[in-house]
Amino acid sequence: MIDIQNEMDTREVPLQKVGVKGVKYPVTVLDKNNKTQATTASVDLFVNLPQHFKGTHMSRFIEIFHKHRENLTMNHFLEMLEEMRVRLEAQKAFGEMRFPIFIEKKAPVSGMPGIMSYNCEYEGCVWEGGKQFVVSIEVPITTVCPCSKAISEYGAHNQRGIVVVKLLYSDFFWIEDVIEMIESCASNGLYSLLKRKDEKFVTEHAYENPRFVEDVVREVYLGLKNFKVAKPFKWFSVECTNAESIHNHDAYAYTEFGEKE
């Protein structure tokens, strides 16, 4: 059958990225407590297209991803991209995979179990002789305003925040460990199930640990610099967005460490 994609293109316009976007697929990722976990991902896969090619073979993106869907560890994700780059005769291959991971989390006093979900993302790029991989983790938190606590005779306003960290991969780490560290930097983490005695504990614990949005970002920054991993992170970013409970706007802070390769 005729292959239009392989025909010559005479317009002399190279394309930085061509491929498929928004692919919904069941995948398997690592789980610290249960070895593996089944989840659902939204995936974008691309390669560069030299100016002399008319098009790429879109079906091959799905074919290769389907082959690797049950083993998408951090290292294997890059291996999948390298196979894609070679198979499609490209100089570079790119991939983004967004997925939730689910963690059983017990209430702090009653010990009642519930399931929390955390949004994650893999963002990888491979080329001949090189690669770059960034892992993004999103963690919901609670913060109590230190200023409100200091000036109020009783009570203090609090807010629900979202911390997002992006980590340049240099050595294996557990996503669950990063989540636990981030929650420890806030006034309190969140739970899907709380009994009354748990709610009392969480409320009082948060009140005793007030945090500005700036405090959260600085504490997470220090936590990542001192994170127990064989090879320290060469680059990372930390941002926190707090949905203010007494203002009609959000509070925000951001910082980063190191340089991307």
Side-chain angles (χ1 to χ4, degrees):
M1 295 175 65
I2 188 171
D3 191 348
I4 297 294
Q5 288 97 328
N6 278 341
E7 290 187 356
M8 289 288 294
D9 194 286
T10 59
R11 286 166 289 189
E12 299 184 349
V13 180
L15 302 178
Q16 277 69 46
K17 288 183 178 181
V18 298
V20 297
K21 192 170 184 178
V23 178
K24 301 293 192 297
Y25 233 80
V27 298
T28 301
V29 296
L30 287 181
D31 185 305
K32 185 177 181 180
N33 295 320
N34 303 301
K35 295 185 179 179
T36 61
Q37 178 179 144
T39 185
T40 303
S42 176
V43 187
D44 305 334
L45 301 168
F46 313 108
V47 294
N48 74 298
L49 188 70
Q51 65 184 32
H52 55 276
F53 284 131
K54 190 171 186 66
T56 192
H57 295 81
M58 297 292 182
S59 63
R60 292 181 186 173
F61 291 99
I62 306 299
E63 180 184 348
I64 295 169
F65 187 78
H66 182 84
K67 172 184 171 183
H68 292 276
R69 72 192 188 283
E70 293 184 346
N71 184 14
L72 287 171
T73 61
M74 297 178 186
N75 283 329
H76 201 71
F77 187 79
L78 292 176
E79 293 174 8
M80 181 266 296
L81 290 181
E82 175 62 14
E83 180 178 337
M84 196 171 291
R85 184 188 73 83
V86 172
R87 181 89 180 275
L88 289 162
E89 302 178 54
Q91 285 81 42
K92 286 187 175 182
F94 311 85
E96 296 180 18
M97 186 174 85
R98 297 165 293 278
F99 60 97
I101 66 166
F102 298 92
I103 300 176
E104 183 177 272
K105 189 175 181 183
K106 294 182 178 179
V109 180
S110 69
M112 295 288 290
I115 299 294
M116 287 287 296
S117 67
Y118 301 88
N119 293 326
C120 302
E121 181 176 353
Y122 290 170
E123 184 177 353
C125 176
V126 298
W127 58 93
E128 189 171 357
K131 58 187 177 182
Q132 188 177 82
F133 186 48
V134 173
V135 179
S136 176
I137 307 168
E138 182 179 302
V139 181
I141 59 166
T142 291
T143 57
V144 171
C145 177
C147 181
S148 177
K149 179 181 177 180
I151 65 176
S152 302
E153 292 185 11
Y154 51 88
H157 81 83
N158 58 10
Q159 44 273 320
R160 184 170 172 180
I162 297 290
V163 175
V164 179
V165 298
K166 295 181 180 292
L167 310 167
L168 180 64
Y169 183 83
S170 57
D171 193 43
F172 178 78
F173 64 91
W174 288 107
I175 289 176
E176 291 90 338
D177 291 343
V178 176
I179 291 171
E180 184 177 355
M181 181 276 293
I182 292 172
E183 291 180 335
S184 72
C185 295
S187 296
N188 217 83
L190 301 187
Y191 298 83
S192 61
L193 174 61
L194 292 172
K195 306 300 285 184
R196 279 178 294 177
K197 55 187 176 182
D198 300 307
E199 186 173 344
K200 178 179 185 298
F201 175 87
V202 167
T203 302
E204 292 175 346
H205 182 269
Y207 186 78
E208 294 301 325
N209 293 277
R211 294 283 190 275
F212 288 125
V213 66
E214 299 93 331
D215 295 322
V216 174
V217 167
R218 286 173 171 145
E219 289 296 324
V220 174
Y221 178 97
L222 294 175
L224 290 174
K225 280 202 70 176
N226 298 317
F227 196 73
K228 292 182 179 179
V229 63
K231 295 180 182 179
F233 299 116
K234 294 181 179 179
W235 176 89
F236 61 77
S237 68
V238 184
E239 68 175 63
C240 182
T241 304
N242 278 351
E244 290 279 3
S245 60
I246 62 170
H247 303 293
N248 192 29
H249 58 258
D250 297 337
Y252 179 82
Y254 174 89
T255 192
E256 60 182 72
F257 167 81
E259 294 183 2
K260 286 187 178 180
E261 298 175 350

